[in-house]
Amino acid sequence: MATLSRKERSEFVAEKLAALYPLTPIPLDHQDPYTLLVAVVLSAQCTDKKVNEITPLLFAKARTPQQ
C-alpha cells in the first residue's frame, strides 16, 4: 500500500465522512446566522436541550445584536 500525503489522507477522510454523513442536522434551534451563533456559544455552557428551552425567551427580548 502506498504512503499517502497529509493532503491525500485528509481528502480521503473528508470523502468518507461525507459519504457516511451526507446531511448533518443542527440540533440547535435557530432562525438565522446570529441566533445560531448565540445558540452555539450557549451550548458550550450547557446542553443543547437546555439551549433550545431558553433561546425562545432570550430572542423574544433581543432578536438582533442591535436590541
Side-chain angles (χ1 to χ4, degrees), residues 9-46:
R9 284 193 314 259
S10 66
E11 289 171 349
F12 175 81
V13 170
E15 288 172 11
K16 292 297 180 185
L17 288 173
L20 288 170
Y21 306 103
L23 296 174
T24 306
I26 299 172
L28 300 169
D29 296 338
H30 65 285
Q31 293 79 37
D32 53 48
Y34 172 69
T35 57
L36 177 58
L37 174 63
V38 172
V40 168
V41 170
L42 291 172
S43 73
Q45 302 300 315
C46 60

Side-chain angles (χ1 to χ4, degrees), residues 47-60:
T47 65
D48 292 347
K49 179 181 176 185
K50 183 53 83 175
V51 171
N52 288 336
E53 288 175 14
I54 63 166
T55 50
L57 301 170
L58 175 64
F59 295 136

